[in-house]
Amino acid sequence: MAEDATAPAGSDGAASRERREKIRQRVADEGFVQIKALAEAYDVSVMTIHRDLDVLQSKGWLRKIRGGATAQPSAMYHGDVRHRLQAMAEAKRQLADAAVGLVSPGDSIMIDESTTGLSVAELLPSRGPLTVITNFLAAVNLLAGKPDVDLIALGGAYYPAYDAFLGLRTCDAIRSLHADVLFMSTTAITNGHCYHQSQETVAVKLALMDSADRRVLLVDHSKFAKNGLHQLAPLTAFDLVIVDSGTPEEELTALRTRGVPLHVAGSGTPLP
């Protein structure tokens, strides 16, 4: 075999790093890969693959499950950013189309590290002039150099699996700023509350919420079937919650019963 199965868990030579990167890309591309298939593909032992997956999971790149690894999110794992970009793409476009109706020239806009927020960012240059504030590197790269967009990139500790800056320095940077509107999303909704997989994400999102005049939450219907570990805030903490047209009627009824300020994207009704 190409790598000694008895190598210490801390061993991290060039061959190991290259193999792990290939494993990360394969899991993101295929969604699920068996441990046995990975061992055969890279000519290493099953135990070596277990160690590789442990390292990749600790960095947030994938989720190790029985028999293999997956890019699908869970209550403890948010999902690889590439996988999230592909998921619910049409619903995200619908949400973004509705959200930009709230934007006026001259506004200052905050966007979180969600892929739904990235869909909004794609539409913002046409609404300029604007100031856009974000900790999401994908959004920074998208908007950098765009005419009529004054871009403020929030620094801090970079988390590759999120492609975003998180942590204390990011929160401090947010608190030094103020925006007209915040567009953000959430990983999961349970009993009328938003949940996320990491405390770092929750801390940054709370700072964003505290620094905006108007808080707008964008959620596709898949969020109601997911779970998260760390509670962020109740839906009633937002000035507006925009859901896509695929949201089941029973979920809409439950939201309205809780007093959630609600708009269904694509419904034809005007934004409040």
Side-chain angles (χ1 to χ4, degrees):
M1 287 187 174
E3 181 172 309
D4 185 357
T6 62
S11 178
D12 193 28
S16 297
R17 291 193 295 271
E18 182 179 357
R19 184 182 61 252
R20 288 168 188 163
E21 175 60 19
K22 290 178 179 178
I23 291 171
R24 181 187 72 79
Q25 292 178 352
R26 181 169 173 178
V27 173
D29 290 340
E30 300 180 20
F32 170 78
V33 182
Q34 291 184 330
I35 289 175
K36 182 178 179 182
L38 292 171
E40 292 174 353
Y42 300 109
D43 193 26
V44 295
S45 70
V46 167
M47 289 306 298
T48 295
I49 296 298
H50 271 288
R51 288 196 295 270
D52 287 342
L53 295 181
D54 286 340
V55 171
L56 291 168
Q57 179 173 254
S58 71
K59 295 180 178 180
W61 286 118
L62 50 75
R63 179 164 58 103
K64 187 178 177 184
I65 60 176
R66 183 177 179 85
T70 180
Q72 293 286 345
S74 72
M76 292 292 291
Y77 168 63
H78 71 290
D80 178 83
V81 69
R82 283 198 302 159
H83 179 79
R84 292 189 292 125
L85 282 169
Q86 298 166 6
M88 304 299 294
E90 181 55 39
K92 290 172 183 175
R93 282 192 290 270
Q94 189 180 78
L95 293 168
D97 286 341
V100 294
L102 299 170
V103 178
S104 300
D107 281 349
S108 53
I109 308 295
M110 282 181 167
I111 296 177
D112 70 350
E113 78 290 350
S114 67
T115 52
T116 305
L118 187 62
S119 295
V120 177
E122 291 175 349
L123 303 178
L124 290 179
S126 65
R127 314 291 290 195
L130 298 169
T131 298
V132 180
I133 304 162
T134 184
N135 64 314
F136 194 10
L137 186 56
V140 172
N141 291 332
L142 174 70
L143 295 173
K146 295 291 185 184
D148 289 334
V149 174
D150 290 330
L151 180 63
I152 298 177
L154 298 167
Y158 178 67
Y159 284 62
Y162 290 83
D163 196 25
F165 297 94
L166 304 170
L168 181 60
R169 288 184 176 86
T170 309
C171 292
D172 287 343
I174 293 167
R175 293 189 184 103
S176 70
L177 300 167
H178 188 80
D180 296 307
V181 185
L182 163 66
F183 293 116
M184 63 177 282
S185 190
T186 188
T187 297
I189 295 175
T190 305
N191 295 327
H193 284 75
C194 301
Y195 284 83
H196 290 269
Q197 284 88 350
S198 77
Q199 291 177 315
E200 292 85 359
T201 302
V202 168
V204 168
K205 289 180 186 288
L206 285 172
L208 289 168
M209 292 173 67
D210 287 343
S211 297
D213 283 337
R214 191 175 193 188
R215 309 163 176 175
V216 180
L217 182 70
L218 310 173
V219 287
D220 67 73
H221 60 274
S222 71
K223 308 298 186 184
F224 296 94
K226 295 178 180 177
N227 295 308
L229 183 64
H230 301 283
Q231 188 179 106
L232 170 65
L235 297 182
T236 50
F238 295 89
D239 298 288
L240 183 63
V241 176
I242 303 178
V243 299
D244 71 294
S245 59
T247 307
E249 189 59 41
E250 57 268 27
E251 295 290 358
L252 298 178
T253 300
L255 294 176
R256 293 184 178 112
T257 300
R258 292 178 182 272
V260 175
L262 189 65
H263 175 75
V264 181
S267 63
T269 58
L271 282 162

